[in-house]
Amino acid sequence: MLSRLGALLQEAVGAREPSIDLLEAFVEHWKGITHYYIESTDENTPAKKTDIPWRLKQMLDILVYEERQQTAAGEAGPCLEYLLQHKILETLCTLGKAEYPPGMRQQVFQFFSKVLAQVQHPLLHYLNVHRPVQKLLRLGGTVPGSQTEKEEVQFTTVLCSKIQQDPALLTYILEVSTSVRHRSGRAPTPGQASLALLRKQRREQGKKIVSRKKSSKEPTTLPREAASIQDKDRSHSKAADVSACAARALSTQPPAEMEEPDGRAGESNLIASLIGLCKSKKGRVALRAQENLLLLVSVASPAAATYLVQSSPCCPAVVEHLCQLYQSVPAFLDPADIATLEGVSWRLPSAPSDEASFPGKEALAAFLGWFDYCDHLITEAHTVVADALAKAVAEKLFVEILQPHLLHVSEQSVLTSTALLTAMLRQLRSPALLREAVAFLLGTDPQPAAPDDGPRTLCAHLIGHCDHLSDEISIATLRLFEELLQKPHEQVIRGLVLCNLEGRHYVARGSPEPESYEDTLDLEEDPYFTDGFLNSSFQPSAKPPPAPATNSDGKTAVTEIVNSFLCLVPEEAKTSAFLEETGYDTYVHDAYGLFQECSSRVAPWGWPLGPTPLDPHEPERPFFEGHFLRMLFDRMSRILEQPYSLNLQVTSVLSRLALFPHPLIHEYLLDPYINLAPGCRSLFSVLVRVIGDLMQRIQRVPQFPGKLLLVRKQLMGQVPGEQLDHQTLLQGVVVLEEFCKELAAIAFVKFPPHGPHLHLSPPREGHV
């Protein structure tokens, strides 16, 4: 196309001076546009039905062709000089704002995008380009559902691609023009001074180009030059007429459209435009705008990052939209429905249209999609922007909106907000936002708690919600803590558990630690154990790798620990042996994968390989396991009285805790033979007391074994569900049996025969 255009032009004028012929053609097309505005009286004809789009296309082709014909790289040709000197872009911007003729704004956006994308000469440093670009950006992203959204996002995409090629442009594009700064009465900063120098150099370079071209002309071309200059003057006067015509059109617009933002808003036209486009109802427009904003914050230099935080609406606008989407989510959502939208991504924010539809699904998907986008912004952004955005999310969403809902007297408000917070934690990946979320939930410096401490912090209130009168709130809050325990932040496990276990005050003082813990604890003296309890052999459904009876450091051997948990439930309360695929080996393979995942997550934290040795002469101090473990132990002690779903969640949180490869957690949660200090309890001691309670209750349930097996089959979906007497008790027994097998499997994969971790061979194919 361009080569054919050049050939036609050269053929028309004899190919003697193609550059002047191009300029004449360029000026002629611009005259055609100005002629329309001077003589046309029909204000209703759409722009696309006039010759304006065709003439703009010809002007673009001439600019691109002229640049390709330039012999000296980096020099501006006569047509480009004409475009800059006669402020054609600024005039077009004015016409686009006036939207005259109808659809002119769309044509202007397209022309700007194509000029910036196809002309390789650096244009954005020119004041006569920078200023109309800023004005055009001010028109974009301001009106939701605008007819020009597609062209607006294309324009911002071109700008962002230029910034990606030259990140130094970001600071320049984010600035307002020099005239705006001077009107504001502020002295130029060093960065502004450098930009002013750059502009001056550009103007001087343009003058040198013009002088070189004039000095190289032959005398015979002077009449043509004079004619060209006269044409320029006439065109310039007509351009003034066009501007006047556009001004008259603008004067008919409402005052709100005439206002131009100043101050901070004027300094961030690109950011404001992108954020406005991010809210578009058109999915592809919103996605492209989000990608462009993500690109900007990722390539920002330290200076540009500081500018984005201090002098642009980037962080406030992003968080404001997040808060608006949160408040648009219905307050009556079911936590189970919220959990179904686990896979919502900012790239696919729309909720999938399947059968599992529920009221509020679209609003929930929009919120979770934008939260995921904020998380990605924080992950990819410069550190300065990431920290500021994370703090803004914590302050505006977590503290100002979410916390009052979590502490509300309305159970529905507590339930929905807790489930939403769990969904947010599940999607959260950025370290900066995770740090803020942990500080919001647990505080900045959690200390060991005392038994009589009141719920002064949010964390204490949430732990209280785990033991709420409403089972739904208890389950939802336990899920929140389970999700929190899976996050790669040491403060979580330290604040909830480890800060209370440090010092090992749960271990009895006054005597040296035994070579083997079984020598100090005679379980046969416990009335809850039968004579054959300790003599039952360790026979899991799949034989684990062999382990020595005693470890080299004298601690309890893995086989003894596993036997203790597997044999804890009496035979008359076991039913798994009657069904397939409920064996211990399944738990071993599951525990192996989960333990490896947990170990890799905590590896950077530098935990010790073993507990600190006790000083036998140190006096005993009162021990308190902390509010979190106390709540879990209290819940576990009521496992025979609680609903099935609640028991599943309590045991799930405890198994997550037991997986952590910290020596104090090994000892306190998984060593049955620990010599506890007076008045202290461990997970195993709580289970022992539950078994004692179970043995007494069994006597009051007729046909207990048959009913227990029937309940297990009902829970596995093998037989239709029907209401039975003592159903809660029977379901609790099933959960208790499975939980003991799960703890045995965790102990097996954690306690090594030699060293801090047990190195198993990879699981067989088909297993986790």
Side-chain angles (χ1 to χ4, degrees):
M1 176 67 184
L2 292 176
S3 60
R4 185 174 60 183
L5 173 64
L8 290 174
L9 289 172
Q10 290 178 8
E11 181 180 350
V13 298
R16 189 169 52 173
E17 290 182 14
S19 61
I20 294 179
D21 293 337
L22 287 176
L23 179 59
E24 287 180 353
F26 187 83
V27 173
E28 186 64 30
H29 285 299
W30 178 239
K31 284 181 183 180
I33 294 175
T34 60
H35 181 76
Y36 173 85
Y37 283 93
I38 294 171
E39 298 188 359
S40 176
T41 58
D42 186 3
E43 297 182 359
N44 297 321
T45 302
K48 62 182 180 181
K49 291 187 177 181
T50 68
D51 65 346
I52 293 177
W54 177 78
R55 292 192 179 277
L56 289 175
K57 177 66 168 59
Q58 298 305 309
M59 292 171 65
L60 172 67
D61 290 343
I62 291 173
L63 288 172
V64 175
Y65 179 80
E66 177 189 64
E67 184 176 53
R68 292 183 179 178
Q69 300 304 311
Q70 289 292 116
T71 56
E75 289 190 356
C79 298
L80 183 56
E81 288 178 8
Y82 185 90
L83 177 83
L84 298 173
Q85 292 173 4
H86 290 77
K87 301 181 180 180
I88 291 179
L89 295 179
E90 196 141 4
T91 303
L92 286 173
C93 186
T94 305
L95 298 173
K97 184 172 184 179
E99 189 68 332
Y100 174 67
M104 187 60 188
R105 184 177 300 182
Q106 182 182 31
Q107 300 300 324
V108 172
F109 270 113
Q110 290 177 348
F111 183 72
F112 270 63
S113 300
K114 292 176 180 178
V115 167
L116 292 175
Q118 298 182 31
V119 175
Q120 302 303 312
H121 188 84
L123 297 176
L124 291 171
H125 293 290
Y126 287 103
L127 184 59
N128 287 343
V129 177
H130 176 270
R131 189 159 47 200
V133 164
Q134 294 293 339
K135 290 181 179 179
L136 200 59
L137 283 171
R138 218 168 290 159
L139 298 179
T142 56
V143 181
S146 170
Q147 297 296 322
T148 59
E149 280 185 339
K150 179 181 177 182
E151 289 73 25
E152 291 170 17
V153 78
Q154 182 181 4
F155 177 55
T156 57
T157 300
V158 172
L159 289 177
C160 292
S161 66
K162 293 294 182 182
I163 293 172
Q164 186 178 26
Q165 297 169 11
D166 183 9
L169 280 175
L170 178 58
T171 307
Y172 180 37
I173 293 179
L174 290 178
E175 287 186 323
V176 294
S177 63
T178 308
S179 58
V180 175
R181 292 187 182 277
H182 289 170
R183 285 200 303 271
S184 65
R186 287 177 287 175
T189 63
Q192 298 165 18
S194 64
L195 289 172
L197 179 61
L198 182 56
R199 295 168 189 148
K200 181 179 179 181
Q201 292 173 348
R202 290 290 183 190
R203 288 194 294 270
E204 291 177 351
Q205 181 185 9
K207 292 178 181 178
K208 292 178 181 179
I209 294 172
V210 174
S211 63
R212 286 198 302 269
K213 289 183 180 295
K214 287 184 177 180
S215 63
S216 63
K217 302 296 182 182
E218 294 294 333
T220 56
T221 64
L222 288 178
R224 296 179 64 98
E225 275 192 19
S228 177
I229 293 172
Q230 291 174 4
D231 288 341
K232 291 181 185 179
D233 293 339
R234 287 196 299 269
S235 177
H236 182 66
S237 64
K238 289 192 175 186
D241 294 337
V242 174
S243 299
C245 180
R248 289 194 299 271
L250 283 172
S251 65
T252 63
Q253 290 185 323
E257 295 185 16
M258 290 293 297
E259 293 177 0
E260 289 190 2
D262 53 7
R264 284 194 173 186
E267 297 180 1
S268 50
N269 298 326
L270 179 57
I271 299 298
S273 178
L274 284 174
I275 291 177
L277 291 169
C278 287
K279 303 175 185 178
S280 172
K281 299 299 182 182
K282 301 174 183 176
R284 299 181 69 176
V285 170
L287 178 59
R288 179 62 63 88
Q290 291 169 16
E291 291 173 342
N292 290 338
L293 184 58
L294 186 64
L295 173 64
L296 288 187
V297 298
S298 64
V299 303
S301 63
T306 303
Y307 190 94
L308 281 170
V309 170
Q310 298 179 355
S311 304
S312 83
C314 181
C315 296
V318 169
V319 177
E320 180 185 4
H321 187 49
L322 180 67
C323 295
Q324 290 172 349
L325 291 174
Y326 178 87
Q327 291 172 331
S328 68
V329 175
F332 53 80
L333 285 179
D334 189 333
D337 291 335
I338 296 176
T340 60
L341 291 186
E342 180 178 348
V344 174
S345 167
W346 67 275
R347 294 187 181 276
L348 295 171
S350 300
S353 55
D354 51 19
E355 298 179 359
S357 181
F358 54 88
K361 184 175 184 179
E362 293 297 331
L364 176 61
F367 167 71
L368 292 178
W370 189 255
F371 181 82
D372 184 56
Y373 178 66
C374 292
D375 186 55
H376 274 77
L377 272 181
I378 296 171
T379 302
E380 300 294 334
H382 188 278
T383 307
V384 174
V385 180
D387 291 342
L389 186 54
K391 290 182 184 297
V393 172
E395 178 183 350
K396 297 298 181 181
L397 178 62
F398 293 165
V399 176
E400 295 185 8
I401 297 179
L402 200 55
Q403 182 167 317
H405 290 176
L406 292 170
L407 302 179
H408 204 273
V409 294
S410 167
E411 291 188 357
Q412 185 61 54
S413 177
V414 173
L415 186 62
T416 302
S417 58
T418 303
L420 284 173
L421 181 55
T422 304
M424 285 186 272
L425 284 176
R426 190 178 300 119
Q427 292 190 218
L428 198 154
R429 297 291 182 272
S430 61
L433 189 54
L434 176 59
R435 182 175 63 247
E436 295 294 333
V438 171
F440 165 69
L441 290 169
L442 304 181
T444 55
D445 186 24
Q447 299 294 329
D452 54 352
D453 286 348
R456 297 190 300 265
T457 64
L458 176 62
C459 180
H461 280 282
L462 291 175
I463 292 174
H465 288 174
C466 294
D467 206 358
H468 200 275
L469 291 176
S470 167
D471 292 333
E472 285 186 310
I473 291 179
S474 297
I475 293 172
T477 313
L478 284 166
R479 285 175 181 164
L480 172 65
F481 279 107
E482 182 180 10
E483 196 64 46
L484 190 60
L485 287 169
Q486 299 176 62
K487 292 301 170 185
H489 198 291
E490 187 179 10
Q491 197 67 28
V492 175
I493 188 65
R494 185 162 298 281
L496 291 176
V497 176
L498 290 178
C499 66
N500 299 287
L501 300 184
E502 290 174 347
R504 301 176 67 196
H505 298 295
Y506 49 84
V507 178
R509 258 66 169 180
S511 59
E513 296 185 70
E515 288 297 315
S516 181
Y517 286 123
E518 66 269 22
D519 296 337
T520 64
L521 184 63
D522 189 359
L523 294 180
E524 293 180 356
E525 298 178 1
D526 196 308
Y528 298 149
F529 289 83
T530 60
D531 292 340
F533 181 84
L534 290 176
N535 297 327
S536 57
S537 60
F538 171 48
Q539 295 179 346
S541 53
K543 186 177 180 181
T550 306
N551 288 339
S552 58
D553 59 358
K555 301 301 180 183
T556 312
V558 59
T559 306
E560 297 169 357
I561 295 174
V562 171
N563 267 321
S564 298
F565 283 109
L566 288 179
C567 301
L568 191 55
V569 178
E571 291 297 327
E572 54 265 38
K574 291 182 178 181
T575 53
S576 60
F578 298 98
L579 302 173
E580 297 179 356
E581 298 183 358
T582 58
Y584 164 74
D585 58 338
T586 303
Y587 285 102
V588 170
H589 288 289
D590 291 344
Y592 175 81
L594 293 172
F595 178 63
Q596 293 299 320
E597 177 187 342
C598 183
S599 298
S600 62
R601 187 169 63 245
V602 307
W605 301 345
W607 280 351
L609 299 180
T612 304
L614 293 175
D615 183 358
H617 305 290
E618 181 183 359
E620 291 185 355
R621 297 179 183 177
F623 170 72
F624 176 55
E625 62 267 30
H627 294 290
F628 188 62
L629 282 177
R630 180 174 68 176
M631 175 273 299
L632 290 174
F633 287 173
D634 289 346
R635 277 294 190 188
M636 198 65 214
S637 66
R638 303 196 297 269
I639 190 173
L640 302 178
E641 307 163 3
Q642 296 172 156
Y644 175 70
S645 57
L646 180 57
N647 285 335
L648 288 180
Q649 194 57 53
V650 171
T651 55
S652 180
V653 174
L654 280 168
S655 64
R656 286 285 178 187
L657 279 177
L659 283 166
F660 280 92
H662 193 284
L664 297 182
I665 294 178
H666 291 330
E667 183 177 55
Y668 188 63
L669 294 184
L670 292 178
D671 195 339
Y673 302 100
I674 185 174
N675 189 14
L676 290 172
C680 296
R681 61 179 178 173
S682 66
L683 177 57
F684 190 79
S685 70
V686 171
L687 292 174
V688 167
R689 284 165 176 76
V690 171
I691 295 299
D693 186 21
L694 172 62
M695 297 303 295
Q696 297 179 14
R697 294 182 183 224
I698 286 178
Q699 309 302 323
R700 301 193 292 268
V701 179
Q703 301 178 348
F704 177 80
K707 290 182 178 179
L708 183 62
L709 182 60
L710 177 61
V711 167
R712 176 180 278 274
K713 290 181 178 180
Q714 289 178 351
L715 294 176
M716 298 181 66
Q718 296 181 358
V719 297
E722 60 180 77
Q723 190 66 32
L724 300 174
D725 294 336
H726 310 285
Q727 188 158 11
T728 300
L729 170 65
L730 297 171
Q731 291 175 344
V733 174
V734 174
V735 175
L736 180 63
E737 180 188 357
E738 296 304 307
F739 182 53
C740 288
K741 291 194 294 185
E742 186 176 25
L743 291 177
I746 293 173
F748 177 72
V749 300
K750 284 182 68 177
F751 281 93
H754 305 289
H757 301 293
L758 184 63
H759 299 286
L760 297 176
S761 59
R764 298 190 305 270
E765 185 177 358
H767 294 269
V768 177

